Amino acid sequence: MRTYILLIIQAICLTIIAQPRYDLKHLQREKLGRGVVVCPTLQGDSVIVSWRYLDDDNQTTAFNVYREGKLQNKLPILGATFLKLPHEGNATYEVRTLDNGKESHRKDGSFTLKADAPKGYLSIPLDIPQGGTTPDGRRYGYSANDASVGDVDGDGEYEIILKWDPSNSHDNAHDGYTGNVLFDCYKLDGTRLWRIDLGRNIRAGAHYTQFMVYDLDGDGKAEVVMKTSDGTVDGKGRVIGDAEADYRTHTGRLGRILSGNEYLTVFSGQTGENLCTVDYVPGLNTGNWGDNYGNRSERYLACVAYLDGQHPSVVMCRGYYERTTLTAWDWDGKQLKQRWAFDSQNQGTRFWGGQGNHNLRVADVDGDGRDEIVYGSMCMDDNGQGLWNTHMGHGDAMHLMGFFPDSDLLQVWDVHENRRDGSTLVQAATGEVIFQIPSNADVGRGMAADIDPTNYGVEMWSSASGGIVNTKGEVVSRARVSTNFAIWWTGDLNRELLDGARITKYNPETKQVDIVLDMSLECSFNNGSKSNPCLEADLIGDWREEVIVRTRRSDELRIYITDYTTPYRFYTLMQDIPYRLSVATQNVAYNQPSELGCYFGSDMKKGTTFRGWTFE
């Protein structure tokens, strides 16, 4: 009994309790299951069993783990929702909840491990699309590209929505035909639910198709929303609009799409069926975009945001170099209704043009219970009106989180291309500059994460910051660290770095990085020099994050799972609203890592409440 009481005390001390500003009682959000996963360790002599701790669990909620009906833990598990066991081959594992010392009679979650399961990851076989030939006689094939997740069938488990990128996809600045963009939906057991073909009238490239996956109408099943056109074929094989239409240019700038119908479509996440299609707002031929060859007009962004503080809206965005537009839509299961539209071309808003990034971030930055959209050097309020504008122009990378452990405010670390403003840390609520590192270079890369336990708060760096800087803008290390992604992997409170095939950990003593996982043997990464995974997020298991990558042949997705132990029991990160929304927008243009709407790192003090979380 004494041991059990000590375990309860330990669990309370190592638990993060979600207390977000959002009204969770009335907030429409997905309902997750336990997310149980079992995977052989990289060494192969043991398996890890990992599952979710949810924000409707009690602090004293405990768990039992069973293998083929036999209890595997001597005492109820009150700490980390993670267990290492001997590898004994093929078996079914179950996780059961105990409340007030009593075990539930139902299975909370289960996972069947096959005897030949790979070490360190889950394998999802892919159905590679057949390639084709463009009108000018050039062959193309397909590779797996960006992915997103949503519970499309209401079983509490995420499915993967995967974009197939043709080998001739193009940046907007380049001419040329492209193959069709395709989307598949896969369950985690490898079952393919549907395929959508966007057709010849949607050009392929990182800036054209931003796809939002989220349960927008609250029916427990996620929808998929994206721009479509005549010739798009839904998951049921039905064509949207005119199947024979061809809007591509066949002379001069080949392959450009400078005319024709443009639509916004809500697809069923479960079947891929076209549920609703409306005209895309604004259309291509509605004003001046800054050029006449489909470069600036075809730069798209998208996000999901709780604009009324209760229901998720999808926001589709067009333009950011000059003209900037954002249009918010609400889906009630039957109709797609426009909530508001912002256009920098309108009277009184022209100074809001040209301030967008190749990505965006969403959170309640001003504490009113409703989300704002940080678009780059500007922030859009929940009502579709500008909240603040630094006038520092376009940038490629941006990070929104709590940088200061003793504050509940959010900040934005942003980099700029104007060969003047360099790198900036600003208050997310007001745009007030906290510090700035000017530069006469085009600052194309920037990163922020709490990687150093010896330094206060979140560290930042960019391609022109002169090294790793602290929250005062002072250089604290000249170490060479990647400016790509960050990931919680090893189990402590500092974040690791994900760059292409490697996860590395910063060592504050040597001021070097140590490799903790190398996925380079058979895997490839996306989007050229960006070297992104298909997706990085807390998808299954405990609070640590997983990495979805493709094999070189794109015949398989691999979900890499950490086998490091951890002393901490935290709610799944996907129940933090800004984090969940950043996962939804990770596929947008220049992919950025998932980030929480609060400070989360090695400087958290017990008993101190931060934005959205309390560390007990």
Side-chain angles (χ1 to χ4, degrees):
M1 184 66 181
R2 180 174 179 272
T3 302
Y4 188 71
I5 292 172
L6 289 174
L7 284 170
I8 291 176
I9 294 172
Q10 181 188 40
I12 292 173
C13 290
L14 297 178
T15 300
I16 276 191
I17 303 174
Q19 295 179 338
R21 291 189 180 185
Y22 302 90
D23 180 5
L24 291 185
K25 184 178 180 180
H26 299 100
L27 193 73
Q28 180 184 304
R29 56 181 182 146
E30 61 196 357
K31 185 173 178 59
L32 296 176
R34 281 291 164 211
V36 177
V37 62
V38 183
C39 184
T41 62
L42 292 173
Q43 292 73 26
D45 58 343
S46 58
V47 299
I48 62 102
V49 186
S50 185
W51 62 98
R52 292 187 184 111
Y53 179 57
L54 299 168
D55 64 8
D56 57 359
D57 291 327
N58 298 317
Q59 283 182 275
T60 56
T61 295
F63 300 94
N64 281 335
V65 175
Y66 291 83
R67 181 187 184 277
E68 293 294 320
K70 183 179 179 180
L71 185 64
Q72 299 296 297
N73 45 292
K74 294 181 180 180
L75 291 170
I77 298 170
L78 281 151
T81 56
F82 179 94
L83 190 63
K84 269 191 181 181
L85 297 170
H87 192 348
E88 299 179 18
N90 184 77
T92 296
Y93 294 78
E94 299 174 11
V95 174
R96 297 182 185 174
T97 300
L98 291 90
D99 282 312
N100 299 318
K102 294 182 179 181
E103 186 179 281
S104 63
H105 295 292
R106 61 181 174 82
K107 290 189 300 184
D108 240 354
S110 65
F111 189 97
T112 298
L113 180 69
K114 297 180 180 179
D116 61 349
K119 301 174 184 177
Y121 63 87
L122 303 184
S123 174
I124 300 176
L126 297 178
D127 183 4
I128 306 172
Q130 184 176 354
T133 304
T134 58
D136 56 353
R138 300 187 180 188
R139 297 280 304 167
Y140 63 88
Y142 282 95
S143 61
N145 193 253
D146 292 337
S148 191
V149 292
D151 179 6
V152 304
D153 53 12
D155 64 355
E157 181 181 82
Y158 285 127
E159 281 72 44
I160 298 172
I161 288 75
L162 176 69
K163 181 173 79 168
W164 287 99
D165 204 34
S167 55
N168 58 358
S169 65
H170 284 299
D171 185 86
N172 301 54
H174 303 152
D175 301 333
Y177 293 105
T178 73
N180 294 5
V181 178
L182 308 176
F183 284 87
D184 285 352
C185 179
Y186 289 92
K187 292 188 71 65
L188 296 185
D189 65 5
T191 302
R192 197 187 83 180
L193 298 183
W194 47 257
R195 173 167 288 170
I196 292 171
D197 183 345
L198 291 187
R200 66 169 69 96
N201 294 313
I202 298 291
R203 203 165 187 248
H207 301 289
Y208 292 99
T209 297
Q210 323 303 345
F211 56 103
M212 291 295 102
V213 181
Y214 212 82
D215 178 11
L216 296 170
D217 59 0
D219 67 350
K221 299 179 181 181
E223 289 79 35
V224 182
V225 182
M226 52 191 162
K227 184 173 179 280
T228 58
S229 186
D230 290 314
T232 294
V233 182
D234 76 2
K236 294 275 192 177
R238 299 166 182 162
V239 178
I240 295 174
D242 181 1
E244 303 302 319
D246 186 350
Y247 302 132
R248 297 171 296 179
T249 55
H250 298 290
T251 58
R253 292 181 175 274
L254 296 179
R256 297 282 183 173
I257 299 172
L258 304 175
S259 64
N261 295 322
E262 299 177 307
Y263 307 125
L264 181 64
T265 298
V266 179
F267 296 96
S268 164
Q270 187 169 19
T271 66
E273 179 184 5
N274 166 22
L275 299 178
C276 180
T277 294
V278 298
D279 288 337
Y280 195 90
V281 177
L284 172 62
N285 298 314
T286 56
N288 180 27
W289 294 96
D291 61 55
N292 61 1
Y293 61 96
N295 181 6
R296 288 168 173 80
S297 65
E298 302 307 286
R299 303 277 179 165
Y300 298 92
L301 302 174
C303 65
V304 174
Y306 288 85
L307 299 174
D308 67 356
Q310 296 183 18
H311 308 94
S313 301
V314 64
V315 184
M316 306 303 292
C317 315
R318 186 174 203 158
Y320 42 75
Y321 283 136
E322 291 195 22
R323 183 182 178 189
T324 297
T325 68
L326 298 85
T327 307
W329 300 88
D330 296 334
W331 169 247
D332 63 5
K334 295 181 181 180
Q335 292 183 298
L336 194 59
K337 298 180 180 179
Q338 184 176 312
R339 173 176 284 268
W340 50 252
F342 173 88
D343 191 338
S344 65
Q345 187 173 259
N346 292 340
Q347 185 175 1
T349 61
R350 70 184 184 90
F351 290 112
W352 294 80
Q355 304 302 318
N357 273 27
H358 285 310
N359 34 67
L360 40 63
R361 293 287 184 177
V362 179
D364 173 17
V365 302
D366 58 7
D368 63 359
R370 300 181 295 274
D371 280 331
E372 285 73 41
I373 301 165
V374 182
Y375 206 67
S377 292
M378 58 173 271
C379 181
M380 188 63 52
D381 208 349
D382 56 84
N383 59 6
Q385 298 180 13
L387 183 64
W388 53 258
N389 188 345
T390 66
H391 303 286
M392 294 182 186
H394 170 75
D396 285 359
M398 174 173 54
H399 304 276
L400 169 66
M401 68 187 91
F403 284 68
F404 298 86
D406 53 359
S407 171
D408 64 355
L409 298 177
L410 298 181
Q411 291 78 36
V412 179
W413 173 244
D414 197 7
V415 297
H416 310 281
E417 285 191 356
N418 60 17
R419 301 181 185 275
R420 180 191 68 217
D421 289 309
S423 315
T424 54
L425 182 68
V426 306
Q427 292 289 3
T430 63
E432 175 189 359
V433 176
I434 299 170
F435 72 79
Q436 181 173 15
I437 305 173
S439 175
N440 58 8
D442 173 348
V443 185
R445 296 290 182 98
M447 184 59 207
D450 188 359
I451 62 173
D452 187 349
T454 68
N455 188 60
Y456 172 83
V458 169
E459 289 76 47
M460 293 148 274
W461 56 101
S462 73
S463 54
S465 62
I468 300 171
V469 302
N470 61 19
T471 53
K472 297 179 181 179
E474 302 165 337
V475 175
V476 294
S477 173
R478 302 284 182 183
R480 296 173 62 88
V481 291
S482 75
T483 52
N484 199 349
F485 267 54
I487 183 170
W488 280 290
W489 187 262
T490 62
D492 60 27
L493 296 179
N494 288 115
R495 220 168 181 193
E496 286 70 51
L497 300 175
L498 170 63
D499 185 24
R502 290 179 172 180
I503 296 176
T504 59
K505 188 170 187 63
Y506 177 71
N507 186 328
E509 294 183 1
T510 64
K511 298 193 182 302
Q512 302 292 325
V513 294
D514 302 318
I515 297 173
V516 297
L517 181 68
D518 192 333
M519 300 169 279
S520 63
L521 186 61
E522 296 176 328
C523 296
S524 293
F525 289 73
N526 297 333
N527 307 322
S529 64
K530 305 296 183 293
S531 197
N532 305 129
C534 297
L535 186 70
E536 169 259 330
D538 179 14
L539 304 173
I540 45 179
D542 68 19
W543 61 276
R544 269 88 59 80
E545 296 171 295
E546 288 73 44
V547 186
I548 303 181
V549 300
R550 62 181 171 95
T551 54
R552 290 176 183 172
R553 294 177 56 194
S554 283
D555 58 351
E556 175 190 14
L557 286 182
R558 294 183 176 181
I559 305 179
Y560 278 89
I561 301 167
T562 184
D563 60 5
Y564 283 79
T565 59
T566 179
Y568 298 106
R569 178 166 86 164
F570 298 155
Y571 294 147
T572 172
L573 304 185
M574 292 294 252
Q575 290 186 311
D576 178 69
I577 298 302
Y579 181 92
R580 180 64 184 91
L581 298 179
S582 72
V583 172
T585 62
Q586 193 177 123
N587 68 79
V588 171
Y590 289 177
N591 307 35
Q592 301 290 280
S594 307
E595 290 164 346
L596 288 161
C598 62
Y599 172 80
F600 185 97
S602 55
D603 295 306
M604 288 192 296
K605 300 174 183 177
K606 292 179 182 178
T608 303
T609 300
F610 306 106
R611 182 184 178 86
W613 304 82
T614 299
F615 191 48
E616 297 288 351

